[in-house]
Amino acid sequence: MRTINDGFPIKQFNGIDIDTSIQSSSANYYTYSSRVVKFIVIHYTGNTKDTAKANATYFHNGSRSASAHYFVDENSCYQSVALNNAAWAVGGTSVYKHADCRNKNSISIEMCCSGNSIVSEKTINNTAYLCAELCKYIGITADTVDTFVLRHYDVWDKQCPAQWATNNSEGWIAFKEKVKSILRNEEGLTMEQYNELKSLITKQAAEINDLRNVNQQLVNVVQTTMIYNYVDDNMPDWARPAVQAAMDCGAIQGDEQGRLGLSYKDLRAICREYRCGMYNK
Ligand SMILES: [Zn+2]
């Protein structure tokens, strides 16, 4: 259940952008600044073959005594009525089957037909994703889908969607299972999965820290024990010009084998003196 005052809160689902460019004529729905919504109702258009765009255009162009919030086909979705407004979709002229669901407190999705007035699996799949987005938006969980996601057939005795209009329709049950599985996958990790992931990350962080410590220890060892005897690849780049200059002007000399015997600290000192110009000839 959610109080809706935003007309177009869902922008896309399952990679399909919701097109809002062809709105229903305002003659076809009740206008509210906000309304409390509990239910999502699934319909089919009942045409032989049609598209979401064609339906949006039809309801845009005149007074039709009917409407729906969304039209879905195999590749696209048009939102025709803002969610804060009540589409004329589930109303009937006789007794309602459902005690509570009405136009005022529901969102209606129309599935388009792909031939012979049949809704294709692709359109059904798209509708499941849109339905799941709307469930999340109004607070329907996987556990409450069976209560709050309905067919027009459940609200009022209309054969809509015709291919699901029986008491134990397998297609309808499968649709709701699909919606539930989308919701469950996106409701996040189980507590067990979360704890497992957390301990793994903690362990990896500790290992990375250990590596940093080892690295620092190596640096310390190098800086305290390494002896640099020659101006070669073993000596750090930054020290070589200074040491060479110090040798050139006779400030440092190697032993009889030419070994300089410099520590890391010596290199730093020589660099300092070099920058101060002490080895300029
Ligand atoms: Zn219907």
Side-chain angles (χ1 to χ4, degrees):
M1 179 154 58
R2 181 186 180 122
T3 302
I4 296 182
N5 42 38
D6 184 353
F8 304 92
I10 315 288
K11 308 297 180 201
Q12 69 122 255
F13 60 91
N14 197 33
I16 294 175
D17 291 326
I18 297 177
D19 197 314
T20 58
S21 64
I22 310 175
Q23 297 288 301
S24 169
S25 158
S26 61
N28 296 326
Y29 54 82
Y30 293 126
T31 302
Y32 300 99
S33 56
S34 74
R35 65 187 183 116
V36 176
V37 168
K38 292 160 81 171
F39 300 97
I40 297 168
V41 183
I42 311 297
H43 307 254
Y44 86 134
T45 57
N47 297 315
T48 306
K49 187 174 187 217
D50 59 354
T51 64
K53 187 178 183 181
N55 278 281
T57 304
Y58 173 79
F59 287 95
H60 174 79
N61 283 338
S63 177
R64 310 297 187 193
S65 303
S67 56
H69 293 96
Y70 297 95
F71 295 95
V72 178
D73 63 26
E74 293 189 356
N75 307 299
S76 66
C77 174
Y78 280 74
Q79 187 178 350
S80 178
V81 175
L83 287 193
N84 52 293
N85 295 326
W88 294 344
V90 301
T93 52
S94 64
V95 179
Y96 282 90
K97 276 163 83 175
H98 198 280
D100 191 14
C101 179
R102 300 290 180 268
N103 284 326
K104 175 80 191 282
N105 61 10
S106 62
I107 294 168
S108 274
I109 305 174
E110 289 273 359
M111 300 186 291
C112 295
C113 297
S114 292
N116 299 322
S117 300
I118 298 293
V119 181
S120 72
E121 284 304 315
K122 202 171 174 195
T123 297
I124 290 169
N125 189 60
N126 290 341
T127 304
Y129 278 93
L130 172 60
C131 184
E133 285 300 320
L134 289 165
C135 284
K136 283 186 271 179
Y137 181 64
I138 67 174
I140 299 171
T141 65
D143 290 339
T144 58
V145 161
D146 286 330
T147 306
F148 296 109
V149 176
L150 305 170
R151 296 164 292 185
H152 192 179
Y153 175 78
D154 299 312
V155 181
W156 184 66
D157 200 5
K158 187 171 178 185
Q159 299 298 104
C160 175
Q163 71 208 65
W164 293 344
T166 56
N167 273 342
N168 293 308
S169 162
E170 280 178 25
W172 172 238
I173 292 166
F175 174 83
K176 286 194 291 184
E177 289 307 310
K178 172 87 189 174
V179 172
K180 289 177 207 175
S181 78
I182 296 167
L183 288 173
R184 288 206 176 98
N185 285 338
E186 295 181 4
E187 271 167 7
L189 303 171
T190 63
M191 211 56 211
E192 196 183 352
Q193 289 170 322
Y194 172 78
N195 286 331
E196 199 178 324
L197 192 62
K198 191 177 159 197
S199 72
L200 195 65
I201 290 169
T202 309
K203 188 162 158 263
Q204 283 176 344
E207 281 169 5
I208 289 167
N209 231 351
D210 280 351
L211 285 174
R212 280 206 195 102
N213 287 339
V214 167
N215 202 27
Q216 189 56 46
Q217 282 163 19
L218 281 174
V219 168
N220 290 342
V221 167
V222 166
Q223 291 183 357
T224 52
T225 64
M226 189 76 179
I227 298 297
Y228 302 95
N229 282 319
Y230 307 103
V231 180
D232 62 10
D233 286 350
N234 292 321
M235 184 177 283
D237 283 345
W238 51 264
R240 284 184 223 161
V243 173
Q244 191 60 55
M247 289 170 69
D248 289 348
C249 75
I252 56 170
Q253 296 178 335
D255 62 12
E256 54 280 9
Q257 269 91 39
R259 291 180 299 214
L260 297 169
L262 300 170
S263 71
Y264 186 85
K265 277 187 178 170
D266 291 332
L267 296 183
R268 301 278 303 265
I270 291 165
C271 283
R272 225 165 22 242
E273 289 163 4
Y274 176 60
R275 283 200 296 274
C276 293
M278 290 171 67
Y279 305 137
N280 293 347
K281 278 188 266 186

